[in-house]
Amino acid sequence: MHFVDAKGILTVNGGRCGMNIYRGCTHGCIYCDSRSRCYQFTHPFEDIEVKQNAPELLERALKSKRKKCMIGTGSMSDPYMHCEEELKLTRRCLEVIRDNDFGVAIQTKSDRILRDIDLLDEINKRAKTVVQMTLTTYDDDLCKILEPNVCNTKRRVEVLEEMQKRGIPTVVWITPILPFINDTKENITAILNECARVGVKGIIDFGMGLTLREGDREYYYAALDKHFLGLKEQYISRFGNAYELPSPNSKELMGIFKKFCRDHKIMANPDECFKYMNDLPEKYSQMSIFDL
């Protein structure tokens, strides 16, 4: 872990405001796209770069914005990895978001987010909170291989339940689905059933498969050699150096996924989910003005 003074914290992409308080991750997920060389890491991925002035930068950025909006975080580096327990930078940034009446859409795999459920609840009452949780495999033993340094799927579902009790809306990322590993009807159905039980608003999937790029691919293949002997060769034979690696079962699994979401009235179109997560209704902005 090393500390830097960042020049800025908010990025705007397609009208969406996002921030990453950390760079790198210690969760050890074998498929992590953030390891890809295109992101130009100049330090080892597990040597977390900490933007120690993130709360101050965020305060300045939010005060300069004319219109309230949703602030997204967690797309590149999990805001609740191990170092957050000590540093509490994510919590401090949530306090800034709350105090300035902005909304937040936060993505994680960690139950450490429960530490901040009080703040997330306050933000949701004053503006809007959306908690996003990644669920890839329902089998505990497999989960320990794919995502070794973070809580298992069943614990993440408990986090979703706690958010539901507070009335905090949730969205699940059921991705990536790894060919020949977790791409089974049984796995997908088990995760979907839990999503319906805890009342998630939406589920995001991009086609039941995996993407691999330079840097990410090498790490993933090393994990296959360690845990799934012979599977790397099967990948190379079937996919070569392709960026998109769809599951052979993708058509069947997508059919199950789409039907399930229709039947349970859960958003399943990624664009619809992103619109929901990034939309801060005008009434919230009006309430924040009138309540001053």
Side-chain angles (χ1 to χ4, degrees):
M1 183 168 63
H2 63 282
F3 296 83
V4 299
D5 284 320
K7 294 181 179 179
I9 193 67
L10 277 189
T11 59
V12 180
N13 184 10
R16 301 171 186 163
C17 285
M19 64 176 179
N20 284 293
I21 301 164
Y22 303 107
R23 289 197 78 216
C25 192
T26 52
H27 285 166
C29 304
I30 70 171
Y31 51 74
C32 181
D33 176 72
S34 294
R35 292 181 181 273
S36 301
R37 289 187 186 153
C38 65
Y39 299 118
Q40 300 178 337
F41 274 80
T42 57
H43 55 85
F45 192 69
E46 287 77 14
D47 176 18
I48 307 303
E49 180 179 286
V50 179
K51 299 175 185 177
Q52 60 187 351
N53 59 337
E56 293 77 16
L57 289 174
L58 182 61
E59 177 84 39
R60 193 183 313 153
L62 296 190
K63 286 190 178 302
S64 69
K65 292 188 74 65
R66 293 183 178 181
K67 186 177 180 180
K68 309 295 184 184
C69 65
M70 297 292 286
I71 306 298
T73 190
S75 62
M76 284 290 295
S77 293
D78 198 305
Y80 288 104
M81 67 184 103
H82 303 80
C83 62
E84 172 61 19
E85 289 185 10
E86 171 189 352
L87 298 176
K88 298 182 174 61
L89 285 176
T90 297
R91 182 172 180 85
R92 288 174 58 196
C93 286
L94 288 175
E95 290 172 340
V96 171
I97 290 171
R98 176 201 61 192
D99 294 345
N100 287 276
D101 294 311
F102 280 72
V104 67
I106 189 165
Q107 182 178 356
T108 186
K109 291 189 180 85
S110 175
D111 58 354
R112 292 184 187 90
I113 193 173
L114 289 175
R115 180 202 66 188
D116 294 340
I117 195 169
D118 58 331
L119 274 173
L120 297 169
D121 193 15
E122 288 182 50
I123 294 170
N124 194 46
K125 288 173 179 175
R126 297 173 65 159
K128 179 181 175 182
T129 296
V130 182
V131 170
Q132 305 159 68
M133 188 67 69
T134 300
L135 309 178
T136 61
T137 181
Y138 198 68
D139 180 88
D140 285 350
D141 292 333
L142 183 56
C143 191
K144 289 176 184 176
I145 294 173
L146 303 185
E147 300 152 350
N149 303 325
V150 69
C151 63
N152 64 22
T153 296
K154 293 180 180 62
R155 177 58 175 158
R156 294 177 217 171
V157 171
E158 290 175 357
V159 172
L160 294 171
E161 285 185 288
E162 292 303 312
M163 298 299 164
Q164 174 74 1
K165 290 176 185 177
R166 298 282 189 121
I168 298 171
T170 55
V171 169
V172 161
W173 292 69
I174 186 170
T175 181
I177 299 301
L178 312 178
F180 314 114
I181 296 178
N182 63 342
D183 58 339
T184 66
K185 176 180 177 181
E186 293 74 19
N187 180 51
I188 299 301
T189 301
I191 294 174
L192 292 175
N193 283 335
E194 290 294 83
C195 288
R197 184 177 66 82
V198 300
V200 304
K201 290 283 188 181
I203 306 175
I204 296 174
D205 177 81
F206 293 104
M208 299 292 172
L210 168 70
T211 59
L212 291 178
R213 289 189 265 211
E214 187 180 6
D216 173 24
R217 178 180 285 105
E218 291 80 357
Y219 190 86
Y220 182 68
Y221 280 173
L224 294 188
D225 276 341
K226 180 178 180 181
H227 299 288
F228 307 96
L229 293 181
L231 191 52
K232 181 181 77 173
E233 288 72 24
Q234 190 174 350
Y235 267 69
I236 293 171
S237 174
R238 185 179 184 96
F239 302 113
N241 286 322
Y243 169 62
E244 295 183 355
L245 287 68
S247 162
N249 306 321
S250 60
K251 185 175 181 180
E252 177 191 12
L253 297 179
M254 283 302 295
I256 293 170
F257 168 65
K258 289 181 178 179
K259 182 179 187 304
F260 185 94
C261 291
R262 282 197 306 270
D263 291 347
H264 291 82
K265 296 180 172 55
I266 298 172
M267 290 184 294
N269 181 287
D271 289 339
E272 186 180 5
C273 290
F274 288 130
K275 184 178 186 303
Y276 174 77
M277 291 189 290
N278 286 282
D279 178 45
L280 183 62
E282 185 66 26
K283 68 174 182 178
Y284 291 121
S285 298
Q286 293 172 351
M287 285 171 60
S288 66
I289 294 171
F290 295 147
D291 290 344
L292 289 177

